[in-house]
Structures are given as C-alpha cells and as structure tokens.
Amino acid sequence: MAFESLSERLSQAMKNITGQGKLTEKNMNDMLKEVRMSLLEADVNYGVVKDFVARVKEKALGQEVMESLNPSQMVVKIVRDELQELLGSSDTELTLNPDGLTTVMMAGLQGTGKTTASGKIARYAKQKLKKKVLLVAADVVRPAAIDQLQTLGQQVGVDVFTLGPDVTAVETARQGLDYARENGHDLVIFDTAGRLHVDQALMDELRQMEELIHPDNILLTVDAMTGQDIVNVAKSFDDQLDITGLVVTKMDGDARGGGLLSVRSITRVPVVFVSGGEKMEDLEQFHPDRMADRILGMGDVVSLIEQAQDRLDMEVGRQSADRMMNGIFTFNDMLAQFGQLEKMGSMQGILKMIPGLNKMAAQVNDEAMNSVMKRNRAIIQSMTPFERENPSCLKASRKQRIAKGSGVKVQDVNKLIQQLNQMQQMTKLMSGGSNMNAMMNAMSRGQGVSKHAGSKKQKLSKKKKKKKK
C-alpha cells in the first residue's frame, strides 16, 4: 500500500520521542533527522521536506510546548497537524451547480486509470450525491475506451452517451450535453482522451472542450506510482486548464506516496478523490486529516465505518445477526459472511484503519486468506441446500462426495465442519441469557470439582502420614 514504508518510519520516530522522559533540543533534532530521512525516502520534494521540518522544529521548541505537562505528545500533535496541512487544510468536494446541470471534465495522461476513475466517480455521484449521472465517451483516440466506458456504465447503472470513434471529441461533447439536458440528467462526466505525454494537440482539444461545456469541475487523474512526476504533470495541465482537483489512482500499489504529499504544496491543486483497486467501489473522497492519521499509524475508524456502510449489504447483515441471536448458524450463514468479507476488501487495509492494530496488518497474508476463503466457498457450494442448512447430516459418504465436487481432500471438509461447530457454540452462547447462565453454572461446577478433588488429595495425604507414623 502507498505510504507503508513512510508510515513505519514516522511511527518509529514518534515512538522514540514519546519514550523520552524529557524533551530536549538533542532528542528533538534526532527525531527530526529521522522524519527528514523518512520523507525524502518516500520521494517527497526536497523543498517541501525542508519547509516541513523547519515548521515542526519552530513550533516544537516553542515555550508553550516545552512548558507543557507532556511535551513529547505535543510534538506528535504538531507533526500530525503539519502533515495534514501538507495534504490540505480541509476537504475538497465536487463543485455542484444548485440550479441546473453539473459538468465534470476528466483529464490525464494515458495509463493513469482515467476511464475507470470516470466510472467510479459516476457511481459515487449516483449513490452518495443522489444525482442522475450521464457518462460521455469523448475519448475517440482510443476506441477501446468507448467500450470500456459502456461496460462500466452498465456496472454502476448509469447512462453512457457515445457517437462512436468516427465523430470528433468536441462534437461528441456538444451532443452529449444536449442529450443530458433533454433527458433530465443533472450531472455529466466527460471522459476525454489522454496522451503518453503532455503535447499541444492534447491541450488544444481539451481547451476547445472546456470552452464548449464550461465545466464546473476539471479533475486530473494522476498515477500514485509515478512519484514526483505527479507534480510535473499537475503543473503542466493546471497552467493551461485551471484544474480544480486531482484524482490519485493506484493507491493500492507499492507507491512511496511522496508525489501525493508534494503536489498540493507546490501546485496548490487539492486532491479530491483517491482510488485503490479495480472495483467500482474502490474510490474514497480524500480527507487530509484522516490520511495524516493513517500515515502516522493512528488508524481511521470513520473511513472504515463509511466503507462498511457503502459496501456491505445491511439487510444480509441484519438477517445474519437475527439468526445468530436465535442460536442459528449454518453453512448458509458462513457463505453470507464470506461475501460480506470479500466486499470489504483487503484485511490488511481494514486492520490499518483500526487504531492499535496497524502493526498486525504486516502479519496478515491477504493472498493466503483469499485462497482459503475460495476453497471453503467451493466446499459449501458443493453441498446440497439441505446439507448447508442441516450440517449435522454430513456423514462419511456425503463428505467424500463434497470433497470430490470441490476438488479438495476430505480432511479439508472436516476442518470446515469443525470451524462451523466452533461458530455454532459461540452463537449459542450469544443467543440469550439462559445459555450464558448455563455457561456460568458449568464454570462454577468446574471450580467445585477442582476444590473437591483438592480436598480428596488432602485427605489421602493425611492418611498416608498416619500410616507412616
């Protein structure tokens, strides 16, 4: 994930300073040296790093901090606040036209994920902003982009307007705008052509389109993997188009994140969305404060809750909860849980958003977990509906048939049955007070037995002593 190495280095630097009993200029300089090296290794612009460290040092060595009850914690807060300022002092949202049609023009180089980002933003506008969205396929340079946009439109349930690759991009945009007005759409996203590099032909076409549609938003798609080149690309486009915001893609890769930390302070162009993953739901509105917390290993519970609300099927979750409270847990319930977990995405990503568990994320192997989940799903899907709902009927012959049907060993089927049995026991304990009381009674009986056994041992030892005498 982006920022992973930076997050580890900064977290360690903060840990070192909080471990000091007293804040001195020496241990402050040691911490700042580590912070400087962390940012430079993350490919943050040198000038940005220099200004960042200077601001932190000035505030950290101020009288208010030195005289505070816990100066080391104050330093951590200063670093966190300055990191947020670097990313943006406040959230940036899409500019919406309250009285009519809102227009969004996408721009960017080839290979940055512009067309996919258009589909993701269309889904976001439809679900979060409650807009009737139209996607306009104005990338006629790459014919496959039109087909791709139509496929994405079907996935997210929005209309796609195209005149094919033989009509110019500007004419497609003009007729697309007319189509949106005639059919009651209130937000239009124009997917424009990209180039391998910034050239005059590209800019001329984009400027003509800008003059035609007067976009409320011009979003530049940049690839997180390109590092410092994000800054150069953003400056080139902004000089000629007045970019309103950035969409940073491929945040799930091994990008160091320096470009994202540098771009706003150099170009003053804010980040609006970040995207990590190929699924249409893999898009987040960018929150500088939350990203600063993530980078410093403080988690991001709010974003995790928002993702759960956005991605999970709440009705399925409610039904599963009701069944569990009634002491019911079958293979159908397990299959439903697999589906919910898959929608939430990477388990590493989830753990990183939970304060205190970010270090555990490195110990989780997402590929291995997904492999096990696929295997278990195949086992369950090889069962009959009756077997899924009545797992107690699974005897040797049925297990052999299920193992053959799912391409696994009988031992794997037995393991899954054991997991189900453990879940059933937990479910029964959760299902009501009577079961909890029974568990408490069993525990107390267990304690009674141990005391009784102890008293027997004492009696026997006394008898032995008498015999010896």
Side-chain angles (χ1 to χ4, degrees):
M1 298 289 288
F3 296 121
E4 189 166 343
S5 176
L6 175 63
S7 180
E8 290 175 5
R9 292 285 299 270
L10 287 180
S11 296
Q12 186 59 45
M14 296 301 100
K15 185 179 178 182
N16 290 341
I17 198 74
T18 52
Q20 302 289 337
K22 185 180 178 183
L23 189 66
T24 65
E25 189 164 354
K26 183 184 182 305
N27 56 36
M28 262 298 304
N29 286 334
D30 291 341
M31 185 273 289
L32 288 172
K33 182 180 178 182
E34 184 67 23
V35 169
R36 184 188 297 108
M37 290 303 300
S38 303
L39 292 170
L40 289 173
E41 286 180 9
D43 203 20
V44 181
N45 179 274
Y46 175 76
V48 172
V49 174
K50 185 179 177 182
D51 292 342
F52 178 87
V53 172
R55 288 196 304 272
V56 171
K57 185 173 183 178
E58 182 184 356
K59 292 181 180 178
L61 294 177
Q63 187 176 359
E64 183 183 344
V65 175
M66 299 299 284
E67 293 178 358
S68 66
L69 292 174
N70 199 327
S72 57
Q73 286 187 2
M74 290 283 285
V75 171
V76 173
K77 183 181 184 304
I78 289 168
V79 173
R80 186 252 175 222
D81 291 346
E82 287 299 322
L83 202 55
Q84 179 185 337
E85 186 63 30
L86 205 63
L87 293 162
S89 55
S90 60
D91 298 350
T92 303
E93 300 180 357
L94 287 177
T95 301
L96 301 176
N97 187 347
D99 301 321
L101 198 63
T102 297
T103 50
V104 180
M105 189 171 92
M106 304 294 292
L109 300 180
Q110 279 182 6
T112 56
K114 177 166 47 59
T115 300
T116 304
S118 298
K120 290 178 178 180
I121 294 170
R123 178 187 179 274
Y124 172 88
K126 178 187 175 184
Q127 295 198 352
K128 294 285 182 71
L129 307 178
K130 307 304 178 186
K131 297 292 182 181
K132 185 179 180 183
V133 184
L134 176 69
L135 284 164
V136 177
D139 182 357
V140 296
V141 175
R142 187 171 67 94
I146 298 174
D147 297 333
Q148 183 185 355
L149 199 67
Q150 287 176 321
T151 301
L152 295 176
Q154 288 178 352
Q155 285 183 25
V156 300
V158 303
D159 294 337
V160 178
F161 180 87
T162 176
L163 295 175
D166 298 327
V167 179
T168 65
V170 176
E171 181 60 22
T172 299
R174 186 184 67 77
Q175 293 195 35
L177 204 56
D178 292 339
Y179 180 88
R181 293 191 179 107
E182 292 167 4
N183 290 273
H185 294 88
D186 48 16
L187 190 142
V188 187
I189 300 171
F190 298 87
D191 179 33
T192 66
R195 297 288 191 280
L196 293 174
H197 58 278
V198 179
D199 62 10
Q200 199 57 46
L202 169 65
M203 290 304 173
D204 288 344
E205 182 179 277
L206 291 175
R207 273 198 301 269
Q208 287 177 37
M209 201 174 297
E210 181 186 17
E211 290 171 5
L212 173 70
I213 63 180
H214 302 292
D216 300 297
N217 305 270
I218 302 179
L219 300 182
L220 178 66
T221 307
V222 290
D223 183 345
M225 304 287 286
T226 57
Q228 280 302 302
D229 204 38
I230 288 178
V231 178
N232 300 327
V233 171
K235 284 177 72 175
S236 299
F237 275 88
D238 189 46
D239 287 344
Q240 302 193 49
L241 286 177
D242 193 21
I243 302 296
T244 60
L246 300 180
V247 181
V248 183
T249 63
K250 304 180 186 177
M251 287 289 289
D252 56 330
D254 57 356
R256 287 176 288 178
L260 178 56
L261 282 167
S262 307
V263 68
R264 187 189 172 278
S265 57
I266 294 175
T267 66
R268 311 311 299 171
V269 177
V271 179
V272 182
F273 296 108
V274 290
S275 171
E278 291 298 317
K279 295 179 181 177
M280 288 296 98
E281 59 267 26
D282 294 333
L283 179 83
E284 298 177 48
Q285 184 186 348
F286 185 70
H287 301 282
D289 55 340
R290 300 184 197 177
M291 185 60 74
D293 286 342
R294 284 195 217 178
I295 292 172
L296 289 176
M298 297 176 181
D300 184 1
V301 176
V302 177
S303 291
L304 182 60
I305 293 169
E306 287 178 354
Q307 282 185 22
Q309 291 173 336
D310 182 39
R311 299 181 184 187
L312 298 185
D313 189 327
M314 293 303 170
E315 181 58 26
V316 170
R318 187 190 62 77
Q319 290 176 1
S320 294
D322 288 346
R323 283 167 64 87
M324 290 180 78
M325 292 309 293
N326 288 318
I328 302 168
F329 191 86
T330 67
F331 280 118
N332 281 325
D333 298 296
M334 186 179 278
L335 199 61
Q337 286 193 357
F338 288 160
Q340 297 282 68
L341 280 171
E342 196 172 45
K343 287 177 182 177
M344 281 301 293
S346 164
M347 184 57 69
Q348 279 190 351
I350 293 171
L351 289 174
K352 285 176 182 176
M353 290 187 180
I354 303 173
L357 298 185
N358 58 305
K359 291 182 180 178
M360 290 177 60
Q363 302 169 20
V364 174
N365 187 331
D366 276 327
E367 287 186 12
M369 287 186 66
N370 290 337
S371 178
V372 171
M373 199 181 297
K374 284 180 182 177
R375 185 189 68 198
N376 289 342
R377 181 184 277 127
I379 293 171
I380 297 172
Q381 289 173 339
S382 296
M383 299 177 188
T384 65
F386 179 80
E387 289 168 343
R388 291 183 202 177
E389 200 61 27
N390 300 275
S392 59
C393 75
L394 295 176
K395 306 303 179 187
S397 59
R398 290 179 184 264
K399 291 176 186 178
Q400 288 175 358
R401 191 203 76 245
I402 293 165
K404 286 180 181 178
S406 54
V408 300
K409 297 177 181 178
V410 174
Q411 293 95 310
D412 295 321
V413 179
N414 286 331
K415 276 184 187 177
L416 190 61
I417 293 171
Q418 286 175 5
Q419 289 177 25
L420 182 79
N421 290 337
Q422 290 170 359
M423 286 299 299
Q424 285 178 332
Q425 289 172 14
M426 289 174 62
T427 301
K428 285 173 183 174
L429 292 175
M430 292 166 58
S431 63
S434 59
N435 288 314
M436 187 58 73
N437 290 335
M439 184 181 74
M440 296 300 291
N441 289 334
M443 288 174 67
S444 63
R445 284 198 301 271
Q447 288 175 352
V449 168
S450 63
K451 286 178 182 177
H452 183 60
S455 62
K456 274 190 174 181
K457 285 180 181 178
Q458 288 173 0
K459 286 177 182 178
L460 285 170
S461 63
K462 286 178 181 178
K463 283 181 180 180
K464 284 180 181 178
K465 286 180 181 177
K466 284 179 181 179
K467 283 180 179 180
K468 283 181 180 178
K469 286 179 181 178

